[in-house]
Amino acid sequence: MTFNLINGNPVRVRSIRYDGRRIANPPDDLVVQLGLGYPLITTPVPDYNRETQYVTNSWRQDETAIVEVWTVHEMEIETSSEP
């Protein structure tokens, strides 16, 4: 399947205009050849400490694919000032 990155999210290519015609469910190789969509590459979730960290994913497009990117964040730990 081929996708485009729209508002930061991958959206599957369901139709294209080619040679004056609309093609529904176009073949992936044609979509890629025309530069109208990209393959989607998912990546595994990185290791992280579930007690002190959390992960988020996002997508980036390069010249050949749309790639899933994971970011590890540190949790903000509230400390009590009460004795």
Side-chain angles (χ1 to χ4, degrees):
M1 286 188 273
T2 52
F3 296 81
N4 283 306
L5 199 57
I6 299 174
N7 296 327
N9 295 305
V11 176
R12 185 172 171 213
V13 174
R14 299 202 181 269
S15 69
I16 62 170
R17 278 209 171 279
Y18 176 67
D19 201 21
R21 297 178 184 172
R22 172 140 329 261
I23 301 172
N25 299 316
D28 292 339
D29 57 342
L30 178 62
V31 174
V32 171
Q33 176 186 354
L34 296 173
L36 299 174
Y38 303 89
L40 191 69
I41 299 174
T42 57
T43 57
V45 177
D47 292 333
Y48 67 101
N49 182 333
R50 293 178 187 265
E51 294 180 14
T52 62
Q53 299 174 319
Y54 66 96
V55 294
T56 59
N57 73 324
S58 59
W59 301 91
R60 73 172 167 77
Q61 182 175 330
D62 63 22
E63 295 172 5
T64 60
I66 296 173
V67 181
E68 185 175 31
V69 178
W70 293 95
T71 305
V72 177
H73 305 274
E74 297 294 326
M75 289 184 198
E76 293 185 22
I77 301 174
E78 294 183 22
T79 57
S80 176
S81 60
E82 296 179 24

